[in-house]
Amino acid sequence: MAQTSVKSTALEQAVSLQRDGFIPWLSQQATRYGLLWLCVLLVILFSLTTPTFASMLTLNAILETKSKIALLALAATITMIVGKIDLNVGFGIVLWHILAITLQVQFGFSWQMSVIIVLVIAALYGLLNGILVALADIDSFVATLGSGTVLYAIALWHSGGRQIVGNLPDGFYDLNGIDLFGLPISALYVLIVALVLWIITEHTAIGRCMYAVGGNPTAARLNGISIKKYTICAFITSSTLTGFTGVLIAAQQGVGQASVGMDYLLPALVGAFLGSTTIRPGRVNVWGTIVGIAILAIGISGIQQFGGAFWVEPLFNGTTLLLSITIAGYAQRKRLANQKLVQKKQQTQAVKTDPQQSNQP
């Protein structure tokens, strides 16, 4: 069986203020919501040091530029929950946004039909990756890197390395261009997707099975959970969401070009990894991903307005990725240690309650 690319652990043990005391409770709260408070502190810091930061113009700019990264980070989160990595959150949008424009400009499809076709093809592509990982037993990093590179090559061949331009209908531009309540509509897309994923992953049997597959595939299989089914479905959902993001990028830019896409890969993965260190530390989760993207967006925007050079963003993203992976790994090890400690205590209490159990093998 292929190794799991990302560890997605089970639910952490809640610490009670009355039962465990103030210090353990405070430690858990700081671990859970530390990044959220860091977001607030960064906003206050940049607002005090940079007068232009605390404005609706900055807020709209952050929401407009980072909403696509947030959607891609949520797409990456879906596969990370089942313990896999999908690199096509960066590779995929290269072809999807080109295809959304090509279907209208060169083949005469309506923008509605073009969007549907892109989403269907993206879903089929996700199915292919799911089959490579779940059935062909190829590591998800290797499988999506290989298939994504092929996808990128197709985008280069199709575009000929040139921009694809043409007259696009206003309805297509409005998918990304209109505002609601003074905020970009793309921010609403992020909110809707996050809410749906949160409900599914945290409050349904599907979500519990996904976390079981990512946390302990062997135990999940013994409990009758189809690892292959949940893995394939995760890749299909992730790829479809990536296809939708590609459509939004096409509506935003109005041109198709193969140079677009790879700049989204690292920030999306950083947001997902960073998100696994907060809200549910040591476990990939939806709201943690949103907080992770917020940290990146606020930090980069504030540093740039403060006078940071053009290379600040990739430096910030790369450094944050290394830190987030380190912290996430530590949180996972700590959670596993706590779970083993709790199980040991439960076994000890069971022996005290029924001494005959101590004689059992």
Side-chain angles (χ1 to χ4, degrees):
M1 183 180 68
Q3 293 182 348
T4 300
S5 300
V6 179
K7 190 70 173 177
S8 175
T9 57
L11 291 172
E12 65 178 332
Q13 298 293 329
V15 175
S16 171
L17 180 62
Q18 292 77 14
R19 184 185 68 244
D20 302 294
F22 177 74
I23 298 299
W25 175 84
L26 181 62
S27 176
Q28 186 179 71
Q29 298 305 306
T31 304
R32 281 186 174 182
Y33 306 111
L35 282 185
L36 189 59
W37 285 112
L38 180 58
C39 279
V40 176
L41 291 176
L42 286 176
V43 170
I44 295 174
L45 174 64
F46 290 130
S47 298
L48 293 176
T49 57
T50 309
T52 58
F53 185 84
S55 64
M56 285 299 298
L57 182 63
T58 299
L59 177 61
N60 284 330
I62 290 176
L63 292 177
E64 173 62 25
T65 57
K66 301 304 179 184
S67 58
K68 284 76 175 178
I69 295 177
L71 289 172
L72 294 174
L74 290 172
T77 299
I78 296 171
T79 53
M80 286 185 181
I81 290 176
V82 296
K84 308 299 179 184
I85 292 180
D86 186 3
L87 297 180
N88 284 295
V89 296
F91 287 104
I93 55 175
V94 180
L95 181 59
W96 306 144
H97 92 281
I98 290 176
L99 188 59
I101 295 176
T102 299
L103 290 172
Q104 299 177 69
V105 174
Q106 297 183 3
F107 295 94
F109 285 98
S110 66
W111 71 264
Q112 296 93 334
M113 183 57 66
S114 299
V115 171
I116 293 173
I117 292 175
V118 169
L119 295 181
V120 170
I121 296 177
L124 293 174
Y125 178 69
L127 174 62
L128 171 63
N129 282 320
I131 291 174
L132 291 175
V133 174
L135 300 184
D137 214 22
I138 303 175
D139 182 80
S140 60
F141 185 92
V142 176
T144 56
L145 177 61
S147 64
T149 304
V150 172
L151 207 67
Y152 180 61
I154 294 174
L156 287 173
W157 165 77
H158 175 68
S159 64
R162 299 182 298 272
Q163 290 186 342
I164 298 178
V165 298
N167 294 323
L168 299 172
D170 293 337
F172 183 71
Y173 285 116
D174 289 344
L175 287 174
N176 180 79
I178 63 175
D179 293 339
L180 292 177
F181 309 107
L183 300 176
I185 192 173
S186 54
L188 178 62
Y189 296 147
V190 175
L191 179 60
I192 293 174
V193 171
L195 283 172
V196 171
L197 291 180
W198 172 68
I199 292 173
I200 293 174
T201 57
E202 298 288 347
H203 299 283
T204 67
I206 294 176
R208 290 190 290 271
C209 289
M210 290 175 65
Y211 277 113
V213 169
N216 193 331
T218 302
R221 183 182 295 106
L222 293 175
N223 282 277
I225 299 174
S226 176
I227 297 176
K228 295 178 180 179
K229 181 183 74 173
Y230 283 99
T231 300
I232 292 175
C233 289
F235 274 98
I236 293 174
T237 306
S238 175
S239 186
T240 303
L241 183 54
T242 301
F244 176 69
T245 307
V247 169
L248 294 182
I249 293 174
Q252 177 188 30
Q253 299 188 355
V255 297
Q257 51 189 347
S259 61
V260 173
M262 298 311 299
D263 291 339
Y264 291 88
L265 176 59
L266 182 59
L269 294 180
V270 170
F273 275 114
L274 191 61
S276 67
T277 68
T278 189
I279 309 299
R280 300 284 192 182
R283 187 180 75 145
V284 184
N285 64 94
V286 172
W287 296 122
T289 297
I290 296 298
V291 173
I293 292 297
I295 286 284
L296 295 178
I298 294 170
I300 292 172
S301 178
I303 292 174
Q304 288 178 340
Q305 291 194 28
F306 200 66
F310 65 92
W311 45 263
V312 167
E313 183 169 354
L315 176 64
F316 190 88
N317 288 334
T319 304
T320 306
L321 176 61
L322 294 175
L323 290 175
S324 62
I325 292 177
T326 302
I327 296 173
Y330 170 76
Q332 289 173 353
R333 292 191 296 271
K334 183 178 179 181
R335 171 174 291 175
L336 290 174
N338 290 336
Q339 289 175 348
K340 291 180 179 178
L341 181 61
V342 170
Q343 291 175 356
K344 187 175 181 180
K345 288 182 178 179
Q346 291 175 345
Q347 292 174 355
T348 303
Q349 292 176 353
V351 170
K352 290 180 179 180
T353 304
D354 187 2
Q356 294 182 354
Q357 292 186 4
S358 60
N359 298 324
Q360 296 178 0

